[in-house]
Amino acid sequence: MSTQILFEHPLNEKMRTWLRIEFLIQQLESSLPVENTSKALHFFRNVGDLLDVFERGEIRTDILKELERQQRKLLSWAEVPGVDMQRIDSLRSQLKEHGSLLMAAPRLGQALREDRLIALVRQRLSIPGGCCSFDLPTLHIWLYSPQAQRDAQINQWLASLQPLKQSLNLVLDIIRNSAPFRKQTSLNGFYQDNGDDADLLRLKLDLSCQLYPQVSGHKSRFAIRFLPLDSENGVIPERLDFELACC
């Protein structure tokens, strides 16, 4: 049985930022429970990266606008004959609820930014090996505190991200499901098409091809070049079938 790999490529800056936030939150959660130094450093590095992303652009404003835009789109779907009105009403209600929670939440990352331990570790992360026990005795003693105590503190930090995480998950889920995958064929490793104001390209490729896509362009027009994983000996087929969704 062949293995298919899903590649996602953002077609605008807003989507690029959202995918990075989603990725960093997933990385944070994958390092739980934090029970040793390597997991702690993985966790704190991702917290630092997330706070850096929060410094750029109006993330909360952009997500709130998207929640409203998706509500309007669902309203227009309501006029289509045979549409599942129960599903539309449920989604609209979720969009509205998440929007209210996000609007009422404190500044993004505020609880993380103000925490003394996070601040201390962030300062040392840019120094090679700068998180040794003699550099960061605070982290060293924290790692010796009872696991339940650490878990409670981490859960508190992560809870402060919930309004953002829930809104973003819903928005990305709706966008990802807004277009079906369609079979396409590239010629000599090249494919181009119109984006039709898409935010995101989703591409499924067979692992056995040993190729990866390099995407250029934006929401109105994009091009995909398929390149071999082994740049020396890899072969690009004359015709390559793949699946593509413009969301």
Side-chain angles (χ1 to χ4, degrees), residues 20-38:
R20 284 182 177 147
I21 292 171
E22 179 191 48
F23 171 76
L24 287 167
I25 291 175
Q26 285 170 353
Q27 291 300 302
L28 280 180
E29 291 172 346
S30 76
S31 54
L32 302 179
V34 172
E35 52 205 357
N36 53 45
T37 307
S38 59

Side-chain angles (χ1 to χ4, degrees), residues 233-246:
N233 308 305
V235 177
I236 300 170
E238 195 177 318
R239 295 175 70 84
L240 172 72
D241 291 336
F242 63 98
E243 288 183 61
L244 182 69
C246 295

Side-chain angles (χ1 to χ4, degrees), residues 2-247:
S2 64
T3 302
Q4 282 204 313
I5 306 174
L6 174 66
F7 294 91
E8 291 190 323
H9 188 88
L11 292 173
N12 52 50
E13 194 56 41
K14 172 188 72 177
M15 180 57 71
R16 188 172 286 113
T17 301
W18 292 350
L19 291 180
R20 284 182 177 147
I21 292 171
E22 179 191 48
F23 171 76
L24 287 167
I25 291 175
Q26 285 170 353
Q27 291 300 302
L28 280 180
E29 291 172 346
S30 76
S31 54
L32 302 179
V34 172
E35 52 205 357
N36 53 45
T37 307
S38 59
K39 279 194 164 191
L41 292 182
H42 179 70
F43 180 84
F44 286 114
R45 185 167 277 112
N46 283 295
V47 167
D49 287 350
L50 197 56
L51 291 175
D52 287 343
V53 173
F54 287 166
E55 296 299 326
R56 304 173 203 155
E58 295 294 319
I59 293 164
R60 190 208 306 250
T61 309
D62 284 343
I63 294 175
L64 286 169
K65 281 181 186 170
E66 186 64 25
L67 289 165
E68 284 176 19
R69 185 174 82 99
Q70 292 296 343
Q71 281 192 66
R72 288 196 300 272
K73 276 178 81 173
L74 285 168
L75 205 56
S76 65
W77 271 100
E79 296 161 18
V80 177
V83 77
D84 184 348
M85 275 310 295
Q86 202 173 344
R87 175 83 175 128
I88 283 182
D89 289 343
S90 164
L91 277 172
R92 286 192 68 220
S93 151
Q94 285 179 62
L95 287 161
K96 203 170 180 179
E97 184 190 341
H98 288 328
S100 301
L101 289 171
L102 183 60
M103 201 179 283
R107 184 181 168 212
L108 289 184
Q110 189 175 330
L112 305 174
R113 209 175 277 105
E114 290 173 354
D115 188 89
R116 184 170 173 270
L117 179 61
I118 290 174
L120 284 169
V121 179
R122 269 186 94 191
Q123 282 170 12
R124 307 296 304 179
L125 279 169
S126 59
I127 301 164
C131 294
C132 290
S133 59
F134 60 84
D135 280 311
L136 270 175
T138 328
L139 176 64
H140 192 58
I141 195 167
W142 184 74
L143 285 165
Y144 273 90
S145 62
Q147 184 69 48
Q149 191 178 315
R150 276 202 308 279
D151 289 347
Q153 193 170 5
I154 287 168
N155 287 340
Q156 211 174 343
W157 290 335
L158 294 180
S160 71
L161 296 172
Q162 280 304 304
L164 166 71
K165 182 192 166 186
Q166 289 171 351
S167 294
L168 188 58
N169 283 354
L170 182 59
V171 160
L172 290 176
D173 191 49
I174 291 172
I175 290 171
R176 282 173 173 137
N177 286 295
S178 66
F181 280 98
R182 291 197 169 93
K183 190 177 168 185
Q184 307 291 355
T185 305
S186 78
L187 301 174
N188 298 312
F190 185 74
Y191 177 86
Q192 63 178 355
D193 202 354
N194 296 322
D196 297 326
D197 279 345
D199 290 306
L200 179 70
L201 288 185
R202 308 185 81 217
L203 191 150
K204 283 181 184 174
L205 200 56
D206 214 291
L207 175 62
S208 60
C209 303
Q210 291 291 286
L211 298 169
Y212 64 91
Q214 194 177 68
V215 182
S216 58
H218 42 78
K219 62 183 182 179
S220 55
R221 189 152 187 82
F222 63 88
I224 305 170
R225 202 171 283 284
F226 292 93
L227 301 170
L229 193 56
D230 181 347
S231 55
E232 297 282 318
N233 308 305
V235 177
I236 300 170
E238 195 177 318
R239 295 175 70 84
L240 172 72
D241 291 336
F242 63 98
E243 288 183 61
L244 182 69
C246 295
C247 305

